[in-house]
Amino acid sequence: MADFQNLVQRLEKVTIQLEDITAKGGGGTSHEAGQDKYVQWFDFLLEGPVSLYVKLSHEIGSDVAHHADMVKALFDTERALLEMASNSQKPSDVELPLILKPLSNGMEQVQAFREKQRSSKFFNHLSAVSESISALAWVTMAPKPGPYVKEMTDAAMFYTNRVLKDYKDKDKKHIEWVKSLLAMWTKLQDYIKEHHTTGLVWSKTGRPHRAACIPPGPPPPPPPPPCTFSQQPQVESTSSHSALLAEINQGQRITSGLKHVSNDMKTHKNPALRQSPAAPNLAGPKPYGSKVVSPPAASNKSASAKKPAPLLELSGKKWRVEHYENNNNLLIDQTELKQVVYIFNCNDCTVQVKGKINSITVDSCKKVALIFENVVGIVEVINSKSLQLQVTGMVPTISINKTDGCQVYLNKESLGCEIISAKSSEMNISIPHGSDLKEYPVPEQFKTVWMGSKFVTEPTEIAG
């Protein structure tokens, strides 16, 4: 607690310094001086929110601490990029990807670490970071880098809500960790709005930047030599061919070498040879026996049938998301109000739907997380297992049918949503409760009694 108070005091000092810089940074400052200032502001971001996130991550320890060190290294890499931009002119389109490569490689490593630690008890923590780490790619976004960071932050909300739910009555340290992670991205948005509103600002009068040249790769292997044949095989082939033709051209003499077969040796004229047990080697086939047809080998359709290829496409007015497995980056963002989304036969996936659409259907899926903004019709779940739904905007109705295990996360705007369920179990609804979430179970059992004129049914926790 003492360390936490010290960090709060440090944040207050940083805030005072920022206000002082703002007060002194009047109209007399040049454009280049303003660019130097935006590097200083980024340092305050590192010393404040980023530092607090790293500290709380190390208090949790294990995979969370290691992940935080990777994130801190990425922030340092971005800080070096900002310093370069403040002193250098914008590089060419060919050079820019080379400059950004360390940043993109680092983000890939953060996401890859999450994938390798699926069995970790802190998988939700790792996923929250992994889903939002792409926010650091704002330096490539124009003209709206700030809203891009907001989208990446929203992508992490599904997993931060799960952390809040799992630890709300166990360890408040994890609650503070979630707040620090979200605050880090929120402050990054504020920083971008202040200094890079329409994109990363490069120096207009600084030195031209030249990215390091990449050495050319090894030359392609030479083509194989033309196929040649030695003279000797040609001679042998020619001589064998000639000998064969000579034998064929013998005419009637071609049968002179065949052995004569007498009538007593012919099975069709000597029935005893067909069934003779004393001469099994001479026994021939039964000419009038019933034909034995061996049944064809049973084909293993399940083994031979190919799995359907994953599909994510817009067909008319329907977005189809089908047959995906182990994919947490399924995104539908080019949406219109008249469109619908149909998610079918997906396993262990996360699907995010942006914008306002007509309806969403999840059919025959398992371990699928659905994050969506605004739906004007209905969100329907059917024949599925272990589903999680999170609404960040508004939805009037959610229908759950023939589904085992469905966790619904509502925000303040969607508290008026109607939940309709049938033939389903293990359903829970979580709603905001202050800075936390409160979970309510949906009844699965009901009691029906005759009240004299009609039957009355009400939910019950224990049947009988």
Side-chain angles (χ1 to χ4, degrees):
M1 182 60 69
D3 293 338
F4 182 74
Q5 292 176 350
N6 291 334
L7 279 173
V8 172
Q9 293 176 358
R10 287 174 56 190
L11 287 173
E12 292 176 350
K13 292 180 180 179
V14 168
T15 302
I16 295 174
Q17 292 175 343
L18 292 176
E19 293 174 349
D20 184 61
I21 289 177
T22 303
K24 293 181 180 179
T29 58
S30 65
H31 179 72
E32 296 301 322
Q35 287 183 318
D36 291 337
K37 185 177 71 173
Y38 78 54
V39 178
Q40 295 178 12
W41 274 74
F42 196 80
D43 287 337
F44 296 140
L45 178 67
L46 295 179
E47 295 173 4
V50 177
S51 177
L52 178 59
Y53 155 73
V54 173
K55 178 182 181 297
L56 292 173
S57 297
H58 277 268
E59 290 182 2
I60 295 175
S62 186
D63 297 331
V64 179
H66 181 69
H67 219 203
D69 291 339
M70 299 171 70
V71 173
K72 176 59 168 61
L74 267 177
F75 270 94
D76 292 339
T77 300
E78 187 151 284
R79 198 266 183 201
L81 174 63
L82 293 172
E83 186 173 8
M84 175 195 304
S86 68
N87 298 313
S88 305
Q89 297 179 24
K90 185 177 181 179
S92 66
D93 294 339
V94 176
E95 295 172 327
L96 187 59
L98 303 180
I99 297 172
L100 297 174
K101 191 171 182 61
L103 190 65
S104 62
N105 288 345
M107 289 188 289
E108 290 177 0
Q109 291 173 3
V110 169
Q111 294 169 340
F113 181 79
R114 186 273 296 266
E115 294 301 322
K116 294 178 181 178
Q117 305 297 326
R118 285 188 165 270
S119 59
S120 173
K121 65 178 181 178
F122 299 119
F123 180 73
N124 289 332
H125 297 69
L126 304 181
S127 297
V129 176
S130 180
E131 291 296 321
S132 58
I133 195 63
S134 296
L136 291 178
W138 68 267
V139 292
T140 66
M141 298 297 167
K144 297 181 178 181
Y148 170 76
V149 175
K150 176 66 166 58
E151 290 182 7
M152 297 302 102
T153 306
D154 291 342
M157 294 295 289
F158 176 78
Y159 293 101
T160 55
N161 285 341
R162 295 181 70 174
V163 175
L164 293 174
K165 174 180 174 292
D166 292 341
Y167 290 92
K168 63 180 179 180
D169 297 324
K170 297 179 182 179
D171 191 344
K172 296 298 182 182
K173 186 186 302 179
H174 297 266
I175 309 301
E176 297 300 325
W177 180 88
V178 169
K179 293 179 180 178
S180 70
L181 176 66
L182 298 179
M184 181 174 70
W185 299 129
T186 300
K187 294 301 181 183
L188 179 61
Q189 294 176 54
D190 296 340
Y191 167 80
I192 294 171
K193 292 177 183 178
E194 181 71 23
H195 302 285
H196 306 274
T197 308
T198 59
L200 176 60
V201 178
W202 292 82
S203 173
K204 295 182 178 180
T205 60
R207 62 183 183 275
H209 180 81
R210 289 291 180 266
C213 295
I214 297 180
C227 182
T228 59
F229 298 94
S230 62
Q231 190 67 23
Q232 183 65 25
Q234 288 183 348
V235 173
E236 294 178 356
S237 176
T238 302
S239 61
S240 299
H241 184 63
S242 300
L244 179 60
L245 289 176
E247 291 186 6
I248 294 175
N249 291 330
Q250 293 181 62
Q252 293 183 351
R253 291 186 296 112
I254 194 172
T255 62
S256 60
L258 297 179
K259 183 179 179 180
H260 176 70
V261 180
S262 60
N263 289 336
D264 61 343
M265 298 174 61
K266 298 176 181 179
T267 58
H268 68 284
K269 290 188 177 183
N270 192 352
L273 294 178
R274 304 175 197 165
Q275 305 292 339
S276 175
N281 293 333
L282 298 178
K286 297 181 181 179
Y288 303 108
S290 60
K291 186 177 179 181
V292 179
V293 180
S294 58
S299 59
N300 188 350
K301 295 183 179 180
S302 60
S304 61
K306 294 182 179 179
K307 292 184 178 180
L311 175 68
L312 197 164
E313 69 172 10
L314 176 61
S315 177
K317 298 179 181 180
K318 177 188 290 187
W319 283 98
R320 298 172 57 191
V321 185
E322 301 177 2
H323 310 301
Y324 276 95
E325 293 190 6
N326 301 315
N327 192 325
N328 292 315
N329 299 303
L330 299 174
L331 174 65
I332 300 175
D333 54 357
Q334 303 295 328
T335 57
E336 298 178 4
L337 182 59
K338 61 184 179 181
Q339 295 173 349
V340 300
V341 175
Y342 180 67
I343 305 170
F344 175 72
N345 193 30
C346 293
N347 182 23
D348 200 5
C349 296
T350 300
V351 183
Q352 188 172 4
V353 182
K354 296 287 188 179
K356 181 182 291 187
I357 62 173
N358 187 276
S359 65
I360 301 176
T361 300
V362 183
D363 185 5
S364 302
C365 293
K366 184 177 180 181
K367 295 183 180 179
V368 167
L370 171 63
I371 308 169
F372 59 94
E373 291 184 355
N374 295 288
V375 174
V376 298
I378 186 173
V379 174
E380 183 178 12
V381 179
I382 186 171
N383 294 328
S384 299
K385 292 183 178 181
S386 302
L387 268 291
Q388 301 193 33
L389 312 177
Q390 179 182 353
V391 53
T392 60
M394 296 184 65
V395 57
T397 306
I398 295 177
S399 175
I400 307 170
N401 292 293
K402 298 179 182 179
T403 296
D404 296 326
C406 188
Q407 184 76 37
V408 180
Y409 295 93
L410 301 178
N411 59 356
K412 293 182 179 179
E413 290 77 14
S414 59
L415 290 180
C417 173
E418 294 182 350
I419 310 293
I420 303 172
S421 60
K423 297 182 180 181
S424 300
S425 63
E426 301 177 34
M427 298 171 290
N428 296 281
I429 304 174
S430 295
I431 63 174
H433 184 73
S435 60
D436 205 345
L437 291 173
K438 190 171 183 179
E439 184 179 89
Y440 295 88
V442 176
E444 302 174 21
Q445 301 183 69
F446 301 88
K447 179 177 65 175
T448 301
V449 295
W450 176 253
M451 300 300 293
S453 60
K454 63 179 179 179
F455 284 101
V456 175
T457 301
E458 60 182 12
T460 179
E461 295 183 359
I462 301 177

